[in-house]
Amino acid sequence: FDMNYAKALKYYQNGQYLSAARLFEELYPLSLGTTTADTLLFLFADCYYKNKDYELAAFHFKDYARHYPGTDKAEEAHYMCVKSVFEISPVYSLDQSSTLYAIDEMDLFIKTYPYSKHVEECNQMLDVLREKLAQKDFEIAKLYYNTDNYHAAQIAVKNFLKDYPNSQYAHEAMYILVKNNHEYAKKSVNTKKRERYQACIDAFKIMQAQYPNSGYYTDAKKLADDAQQQINKIKK
């Protein structure tokens, strides 16, 4: 055991992480009940992290945090689990189940270790992940608009703005809602035009209040002004 442990440590120190991981995996069950067990598991998990196998790293760091909560490495193991699941999170266009799991793990870490030196970095990672979710929902709303699915676009944009009011995409989403409502009214039957042009104006008023510095403000105002002119014509 001691000889193989020393060999595994040498592999680890030399950056031969897969070779080290294989030995640590063999040694860990033999070490259970000893003072070496938690160190072995931590190094085993770290081998996978350093080799960029983040799924296995997350699994084993989580295993460490669960089995050895009272050790001096428990906080670091949980943090490394968080870093691993952050790396697993895919690009916004793919399924975001892993992103939601990563957010849950980060929230749990912050709740468990509110005074940790890693809390600030966890919050930064949370911002990145939440913005990724925001981008996915924003692109869905934009797709509805681009395919002339106006009613679905209305709902998608409103839900987006409710969930992500501070997103970098929020001001553009508001502009899309103004545009969407204007085109929806323009292509509607006469009996629906007035209320839908009014919806365009109402959306612009919200944009005016919340995103007055948006690069889309001028174009949105033109649409709202035109919507008001169309309502005036309908009244006449």
Side-chain angles (χ1 to χ4, degrees):
F1 181 95
D2 291 341
M3 182 181 70
N4 282 314
Y5 185 35
K7 192 175 179 181
L9 285 174
K10 190 174 181 181
Y11 281 140
Y12 178 83
Q13 289 159 2
N14 291 336
Q16 296 170 276
Y17 299 117
L18 281 180
S19 297
R22 290 190 193 101
L23 275 176
F24 285 138
E25 186 174 19
E26 291 174 9
L27 294 171
Y28 177 62
L30 304 175
S31 70
L32 292 174
T34 72
T35 54
T36 313
D38 69 299
T39 302
L40 264 169
L41 183 55
F42 189 93
L43 290 172
F44 179 38
D46 201 43
C47 282
Y48 285 119
Y49 183 84
K50 286 182 165 60
N51 205 50
K52 298 184 179 180
D53 190 339
Y54 298 116
E55 289 191 17
L56 281 174
F59 176 82
H60 291 297
F61 277 126
K62 180 76 173 177
D63 200 36
Y64 183 101
R66 187 166 50 244
H67 284 97
Y68 303 102
T71 65
D72 57 352
K73 292 190 185 70
E75 180 185 327
E76 193 66 19
H78 198 162
Y79 171 66
M80 291 303 295
C81 172
V82 163
K83 285 187 73 174
S84 299
V85 294
F86 176 78
E87 294 291 348
I88 294 167
S89 173
V91 295
Y92 79 90
S93 56
L94 300 178
D95 177 74
Q96 292 300 304
S97 299
S98 296
T99 302
L100 293 170
Y101 172 67
I103 289 171
D104 287 344
E105 279 299 322
M106 287 174 198
D107 286 339
L108 178 60
F109 178 85
I110 292 169
K111 184 178 178 181
T112 307
Y113 303 103
Y115 305 110
S116 170
K117 63 181 181 180
H118 301 303
V119 165
E120 185 178 350
E121 190 177 349
C122 283
N123 282 324
Q124 290 171 357
M125 288 190 283
L126 276 171
D127 288 342
V128 172
L129 295 178
R130 285 170 180 152
E131 196 66 3
K132 191 182 292 188
L133 295 177
Q135 186 178 7
K136 187 176 183 70
D137 284 1
F138 171 70
E139 292 295 338
I140 290 170
K142 195 159 67 168
L143 179 63
Y144 284 136
Y145 167 73
N146 289 334
T147 54
D148 299 339
N149 197 339
Y150 301 117
H151 183 61
Q154 273 185 340
I155 295 169
V157 171
K158 287 176 181 177
N159 286 339
F160 171 85
L161 291 168
K162 181 181 176 183
D163 294 337
Y164 308 105
N166 300 315
S167 166
Q168 62 177 309
Y169 305 105
H171 72 107
E172 187 178 353
M174 198 73 240
Y175 171 57
I176 287 173
L177 185 60
V178 173
K179 262 200 312 186
N180 178 81
N181 291 353
H182 186 275
E183 289 185 28
Y184 195 18
K186 192 175 179 181
K187 295 177 182 179
S188 295
V189 295
N190 290 335
T191 54
K192 293 287 186 181
K193 283 183 182 293
R194 183 171 176 175
E195 66 177 87
R196 288 173 182 168
Y197 276 123
Q198 186 60 51
C200 170
I201 295 167
D202 292 343
F204 173 71
K205 286 179 180 177
I206 296 171
M207 185 176 183
Q208 190 175 37
Q210 297 183 357
Y211 311 104
N213 299 318
S214 169
Y216 300 101
Y217 182 87
T218 302
D219 289 341
K221 187 176 186 306
K222 288 177 183 176
L223 292 170
D225 289 346
D226 181 70
Q228 186 60 61
Q229 289 174 12
Q230 297 305 323
I231 288 174
N232 292 340
K233 286 179 184 178
I234 293 166
K235 284 180 181 178
K236 288 179 182 178

